[in-house]
Amino acid sequence: MGFLQRPVVVTADINLNVVALTAVGLLSRLWQLAYPRAVVFDEVYYGQYISFYMKRIFFLDSSGPPFGHMLLALGGYIGGFDGNFLWNRIGAEYSSNVPVWCLRLLPALAGALSVPMAYQIVWELGFSPCAAMGAALLVLIENALVTQSRLMLLESVLIFFDLLAVLSYLKFFNSQKHRYGRRGVSSPAGNSLSSQLTALLCPRPFSLSWWFWLTLTGMACSCAVGVKYVGVFTYLLVLGVAAVHAWHLIGDQTLSNVCVLCHLLARAVALLVIPAATYLLFFYVHLALLCRSGPHDQIMSSAFQASLEGGLARITQGQPLEVAYGSQVTLKNAFGKPVPCWLHSHQSTYPVIYESGRGSSHQQQVTCYPFKDVNNWWIIKDPRRHQLVVNNPPRPVRHGDIVQLVHGMTTRFLNTHDVAAPLSPHSQEVSCYVDYNISMPAQNLWRLDIVNRESDAEVWKTILSEVRFVHVNTSAILKLSGAHLPDWGFRQLEVVGEKLSRGYHESTVWNVEEHRYGKSQEQKERELELHSPTESDISRNLSFMARFSELQWRMLTVRSDDSEHKYSSTPLDWVMLDTNIAYWLHPRTSAQIHLLGNIVIWASASLATMVYALLFLWYLLRRRRKVYDLPEDSWLRWVLAGALCAGGWAVNYLPFFLMEKTLFLYHYLPALTFQILLLPVVFEHISNHLCRSQLQRSLFGALVVAWFASACHVSNTLRPLTYGDRSLSPSELKALRWKDSWDILIRKY
C-alpha cells in the first residue's frame, strides 16, 4: 500500500502550437456551420443515403464503400434526424426536422483536425517548427479545403484519414527516439534517419507506443479506403514506404533471424490483416443496419434480395428449397443488365419477316421481362412423363438432368432451333414451340448445368443455385442478349441461344426466384394456382461473406452515370485552377458559395513540386559522381519528405488520367493537401542549403513573408464565396473574376 503514501503525479508535454492550430481550425470550419440552410451541391446525393440509414433501407452506391456514408449518418443520428426529407433538388430549403449542423459536423471536424495534423507531419519529418507552422496555416486558409469541409461531403473525411495514416506511420517510425533524449531536447532535425532506423531495431522495439502507432497506421489506411476507393492510393504509398524500411531492416546484421521475422510479422498483421478486418467490419455494420428492402434491391441477386425484410423476402418466404419435377418457377437472369428481368413468354409470335428482310419461325415469342408478371411462370417437366405436378415425395432435379420448360399460362415448351435470332443473327432464336404441321420438329430438351455446384449430384435449389440451360440438340446456351426488341416485341429484352460458348458469363446464368410445388394437372386450375401464394416454410439466409462478396462486386461493376456535367473538368484543369464549381446560389440575393481554390497556394504548390523534382534529380546525379551537397541526415530527410509529400500528390493525382468517369475539381483536394505539405519543406530547404549567406537568407525570408501575405489576401478576398454569408455587389463579383480579366489582357497584348 506504499503507493497510497505518495501523491499521483501526471506530467504531459503540450505543444501550444498544436493547441492554437486546433482552435483556429475549429473556428474556421464550425463558424455558422448550419448556413446556408439549404441543400448544397452533392448534399442532394449524400442526404438520400443518410435518410436510407435512418430508415434502415438497403441501398447501393457505386462511388465508394459505406464507411463515409455511415459517418455522415452518425451525425444525423446524433441530431435526431428521422430521415424524412425529400432530397430531390439542389438549393431546396431544409425543413425544421433536418439537423443541418449535426449532419455537417463530422466533415467539419475532419477538416479542422487536418490543420494540426499538417503541422505534426512536417514536424515528424524532421523539419523546423516554422516549416510545420507554415504547412498548417496553408491548410487553414486554403479556400477550397475550407469550403469542402463545411458541407455534408466526404473529401475532408478522406483527407483526414490520409493524413492520419501518414502521421501515424511517422510516429511509429520515430517512436523509439525517446530512448536517446526527450523531444524537447533532441528534435527530429537533430537526428539522422539512419539513427532513427537503428532506434527502431532496439532490443525492445515492441513497446505499447510502437504497437499503437503501427496499428493506427493500418486502421487509418483502412478508413481512408472505406470512405472512398481512391483512399487506396495513399494506402499503397504507406505500404511502399514501410516496405522500403522493412527491406533495410532485413539487411541489419545485428538482428537475429527470429527478431527480423517478428518485425515482419508485426508489420504484416498491422498493415495488411488489421486493415482487411476493419474493411470487412464496415460492411458488416452496413449490412446489419440496412436490413429492409429498398429501391436498389433489383440490382442484387435473388438470394440477396430474399435476405432483406419486405420486398422479395415477403414474396418468397416459405418457398420449397429443392426444385422438383412439376415445380412452378420464375427464372431471373443473373446478369441484371441493362435491367433485372425474368424469362417470359406471351401469346404473340415473332413476325414472319423482320425489318431486315430475314425470316423467322413465326413461333411464340420468348423474352426477358423487367417486371413481375404471371407470364413469367414456367413448369419444370420430366421429358419421360406427361404430368405437370409434383409427386409425393417430390423428385428433385439434379445437375446434368434433362428437363423441359413449359410456359405456365400457354403450356407451350421452351424451344430453340437453327433459325437466326431477331436482333442477334449469329445466335439462335428462342421460342415456345407452336406446331404448324410443317417440317420443323420441336427441339425442347435442355440439360441443366448448375454453375455453383459443389458436386456432380447437386440438387437444383431455389434462389441459391446458379444454373445454365444447355440445348440438347444444338448445344446452344439460353442467354440474355440485352437488346430491346422492336414494338412487335413490346420493347422487351431479347433472349437467344448462344451457339458458341465463350466461357462463363452472367448473361447465360439464371436462378429460380419464386417457386411453388405444382398440384393441379388441369390448365384452368393451374392458372388459378399460379396466382396463389406458397405455404411451405423453409428459411434461407445468406452468410455475411456471401452478402459482402456480392455487394462488393456490384459496387465495383455497376457503372454510375458518366454523362457530361456542367461543372465537370479534367485533371489538367486542376493544377492551375482553370475550373471551379458553383455550389449554391441564394434564391433572393447575390450570396453564393463556390468551390474555388486560392490561386497563390495552388500555383506555388505546383511550382514547389517541380522544384523538388529538379533538385532531387540534381542531387541524385551528383551523388552518383560522389559529390555530396547535403549531409547524410539532411539527404535522408529530404528523400522521405519527397516520398510522402510529392509521392502523396502523385499517387492521388496521376491515376485520374486513366479513369473513365465524370471528374470534378474536388477530386484534386487530397493531392493538393500533400502538395501543400511539400511547399514549406522546399522553402526551408532553399533557405538552409541553397542560400549561401545570411543576407540571402534574410531576403528569401522576406520574399516568403510577402508571398504568405498575398496568399492570406487572396483567401480573405475569396471569403464571401467560401462561406456565402453576405451578398456581393456586381462590381465585387466582377472583381472576383480575375481569370476572365487576365485572359482578356493576354488576348489584348
Side-chain angles (χ1 to χ4, degrees):
M1 305 295 290
F3 69 93
L4 294 178
Q5 300 175 5
R6 295 187 301 270
V8 178
V9 179
V10 177
T11 60
D13 292 331
I14 299 176
N15 190 327
L16 294 181
N17 288 342
V18 174
V19 174
L21 288 171
T22 304
V24 295
L26 290 170
L27 179 63
S28 67
R29 267 62 174 180
L30 297 180
W31 186 76
Q32 289 191 350
L33 187 61
Y35 179 86
R37 194 174 175 82
V39 180
V40 179
F41 203 62
D42 278 352
E43 287 187 341
V44 72
Y45 301 113
Y46 291 114
Q48 296 177 32
Y49 304 139
I50 294 173
S51 289
F52 286 143
Y53 274 115
M54 297 300 104
K55 299 178 179 180
R56 305 195 68 178
I57 295 175
F58 174 78
F59 69 90
L60 173 67
D61 179 21
S62 60
S63 67
F67 181 55
H69 301 80
M70 288 192 292
L71 288 178
L72 296 180
L74 177 61
Y77 177 79
I78 293 172
F81 183 41
D82 57 8
N84 292 319
F85 182 77
L86 187 60
W87 307 87
N88 62 347
R89 180 173 61 86
I90 297 174
E93 294 288 332
Y94 284 121
S95 55
S96 59
N97 68 308
V98 181
V100 182
W101 194 88
C102 291
L103 289 173
R104 294 173 178 168
L105 175 60
L106 289 178
L109 289 177
L113 294 178
S114 296
V115 176
M117 277 202 296
Y119 176 94
Q120 291 278 68
I121 288 173
V122 176
W123 170 247
E124 291 291 335
L125 281 170
F127 293 89
S128 68
C130 182
M133 181 63 74
L137 292 177
L138 291 176
V139 172
L140 174 70
I141 68 173
E142 208 297 302
N143 298 82
L145 294 178
V146 175
T147 300
Q148 199 72 10
S149 62
R150 288 174 46 82
L151 302 172
M152 195 197 313
L153 306 173
L154 289 179
E155 275 65 35
S156 64
V157 182
L158 173 63
I159 292 170
F160 170 80
F161 285 114
D162 282 347
L163 296 182
L164 181 60
V166 172
L167 176 60
S168 299
Y169 183 78
L170 288 172
K171 288 280 190 180
F172 158 73
F173 188 67
N174 296 330
S175 62
Q176 299 302 312
K177 289 189 299 179
H178 294 278
R179 295 172 63 90
Y180 297 98
R182 293 170 58 88
R183 186 57 177 259
V185 177
S186 179
S187 72
N191 295 285
S192 68
L193 293 187
S194 58
S195 65
Q196 296 173 28
L197 185 57
T198 303
L200 278 175
L201 308 180
C202 287
R204 298 180 57 191
F206 300 98
S207 64
L208 182 62
S209 173
W210 189 91
W211 273 112
F212 173 78
W213 291 115
L214 180 60
T215 304
L216 185 59
T217 301
M219 295 188 67
C221 289
S222 183
C223 290
V225 179
V227 173
K228 284 198 170 187
Y229 286 125
V230 292
V232 75
F233 300 138
T234 300
Y235 182 26
L236 294 176
L237 174 69
V238 173
L239 282 181
V241 174
V244 172
H245 291 160
W247 182 253
H248 288 294
L249 182 146
I250 294 173
D252 192 313
Q253 298 298 318
T254 64
L255 295 176
S256 66
N257 292 338
V258 174
C259 185
V260 170
L261 180 61
C262 290
H263 273 282
L264 297 180
L265 286 177
R267 286 159 173 77
V269 169
L271 300 181
L272 297 176
V273 177
I274 289 179
T278 306
Y279 188 76
L280 287 174
L281 179 63
F282 297 152
F283 279 87
Y284 184 85
V285 176
H286 174 73
L287 292 172
L289 290 174
L290 306 184
C291 58
R292 296 172 182 166
S293 176
H296 298 167
D297 288 8
Q298 288 194 349
I299 300 175
M300 312 305 293
S301 69
S302 300
F304 194 102
Q305 294 180 52
S307 68
L308 300 171
E309 298 176 7
L312 183 61
R314 185 176 63 252
I315 297 172
T316 60
Q317 183 178 8
Q319 292 185 150
L321 177 61
E322 296 184 349
V323 178
Y325 290 107
S327 286
Q328 300 168 356
V329 301
T330 62
L331 294 166
K332 183 182 179 182
N333 189 266
F335 192 38
K337 295 180 181 179
V339 291
C341 61
W342 293 262
L343 190 66
H344 176 93
S345 187
H346 40 244
Q347 291 283 357
S348 301
T349 58
Y350 291 109
V352 178
I353 302 295
Y354 296 128
E355 291 85 345
S356 62
R358 293 187 293 108
S360 78
S361 65
H362 194 48
Q363 301 215 5
Q364 183 171 302
Q365 297 175 14
V366 171
T367 64
C368 207
Y369 189 51
F371 301 99
K372 303 284 187 181
D373 190 85
V374 71
N375 281 312
N376 297 345
W377 285 92
W378 299 81
I379 303 171
I380 309 302
K381 180 182 176 297
D382 185 346
R384 299 166 296 180
R385 303 189 183 189
H386 293 290
Q387 66 185 35
L388 296 177
V389 296
V390 176
N391 290 343
N392 191 14
R395 292 189 300 121
V397 183
R398 300 180 182 276
H399 169 74
D401 285 355
I402 305 299
V403 300
Q404 292 173 312
L405 277 73
V406 182
H407 187 241
M409 297 301 292
T410 64
T411 67
R412 289 185 171 134
F413 290 71
L414 187 70
N415 184 85
T416 188
H417 37 223
D418 194 16
V419 174
L423 301 180
S424 306
H426 297 292
S427 300
Q428 292 180 181
E429 175 193 87
V430 174
S431 62
C432 279
Y433 183 74
V434 181
D435 188 1
Y436 290 118
N437 197 23
I438 58 175
S439 58
M440 185 179 287
Q443 297 181 5
N444 51 31
L445 299 179
W446 301 85
R447 186 178 73 255
L448 183 73
D449 177 22
I450 302 180
V451 177
N452 60 340
R453 64 185 182 276
E454 295 181 357
S455 70
D456 288 340
E458 180 88 12
V459 174
W460 186 5
K461 295 183 178 66
T462 305
I463 292 181
L464 303 178
S465 294
E466 298 178 347
V467 303
R468 298 193 304 174
F469 296 98
V470 183
H471 193 238
V472 173
N473 298 80
T474 63
S475 297
I477 299 175
L478 189 68
K479 176 185 177 181
L480 169 66
S481 76
H484 285 272
L485 294 170
D487 291 339
W488 55 257
F490 309 101
R491 309 301 299 176
Q492 295 174 16
L493 299 174
E494 181 190 44
V495 174
V496 301
E498 183 66 54
K499 293 181 181 179
L500 301 176
S501 177
R502 299 180 177 87
Y504 171 82
H505 192 273
E506 285 185 319
S507 61
T508 64
V509 177
W510 307 79
N511 69 271
V512 172
E513 186 169 271
E514 297 179 64
H515 176 212
R516 61 169 60 87
Y517 282 162
K519 301 176 181 178
S520 304
Q521 184 68 23
E522 296 297 326
Q523 176 64 13
K524 292 296 184 182
E525 297 176 2
R526 189 185 305 118
E527 290 181 8
L528 293 175
E529 188 178 30
L530 291 173
H531 290 89
S532 64
T534 58
E535 298 177 357
S536 304
D537 188 13
I538 299 178
S539 176
R540 292 174 303 278
N541 292 321
L542 278 181
S543 67
F544 162 69
M545 287 306 300
R547 299 174 72 200
F548 162 74
S549 300
E550 179 178 347
L551 178 57
Q552 182 67 88
W553 176 251
R554 295 294 183 188
M555 293 173 70
L556 293 173
T557 56
V558 171
R559 293 182 62 87
S560 57
D561 184 13
D562 292 336
S563 58
E564 194 70 19
H565 190 278
K566 178 181 179 181
Y567 293 109
S568 62
S569 54
T570 66
L572 289 177
D573 297 329
W574 303 340
V575 178
M576 293 305 295
L577 201 59
D578 285 340
T579 181
N580 72 91
I581 304 175
Y583 269 4
W584 172 80
L585 302 175
H586 196 285
R588 293 176 296 276
T589 70
S590 60
Q592 49 198 280
I593 295 177
H594 286 248
L595 183 68
L596 183 62
N598 187 316
I599 185 60
V600 174
I601 297 177
W602 287 54
S604 302
S606 299
L607 181 60
T609 305
M610 290 188 289
V611 169
Y612 177 88
L614 292 174
L615 286 175
F616 177 79
L617 291 175
W618 173 252
Y619 292 144
L620 198 63
L621 290 172
R622 287 174 62 81
R623 289 175 70 86
R624 188 64 177 168
R625 298 294 299 171
K626 307 299 182 183
V627 179
Y628 300 99
D629 299 286
L630 301 176
E632 189 64 16
D633 60 336
S634 298
W635 167 249
L636 292 174
R637 190 163 59 247
W638 177 251
V639 170
L640 183 59
L644 290 175
C645 299
W649 169 80
V651 300
N652 283 284
Y653 173 60
L654 299 180
F656 284 104
F657 285 95
L658 305 177
M659 294 185 186
E660 296 180 359
K661 57 179 291 187
T662 305
L663 300 175
F664 297 92
L665 180 63
Y666 55 72
H667 286 120
Y668 186 62
L669 296 183
L672 173 71
T673 305
F674 282 100
Q675 264 194 327
I676 290 176
L677 297 182
L678 184 64
L679 190 52
V681 169
V682 172
F683 282 164
E684 180 170 305
H685 180 83
I686 293 174
S687 176
N688 291 347
H689 299 284
L690 300 184
C691 294
R692 301 298 183 181
S693 64
Q694 185 61 40
L695 177 61
Q696 290 177 339
R697 293 190 184 93
S698 300
L699 291 175
F700 181 75
L703 288 175
V704 171
V705 170
W707 168 86
F708 182 75
S710 66
C712 292
H713 174 72
V714 171
S715 179
N716 185 62
T717 302
L718 296 178
R719 185 189 174 284
L721 299 181
T722 301
Y723 290 88
D725 55 351
R726 70 178 181 88
S727 301
L728 297 172
S729 65
S731 59
E732 288 176 316
L733 285 172
K734 185 177 181 180
L736 290 174
R737 298 193 184 101
W738 63 270
K739 189 175 184 302
D740 294 342
S741 303
W742 182 255
D743 291 342
I744 294 173
L745 187 65
I746 291 177
R747 286 194 297 269
K748 181 176 180 180
Y749 294 100

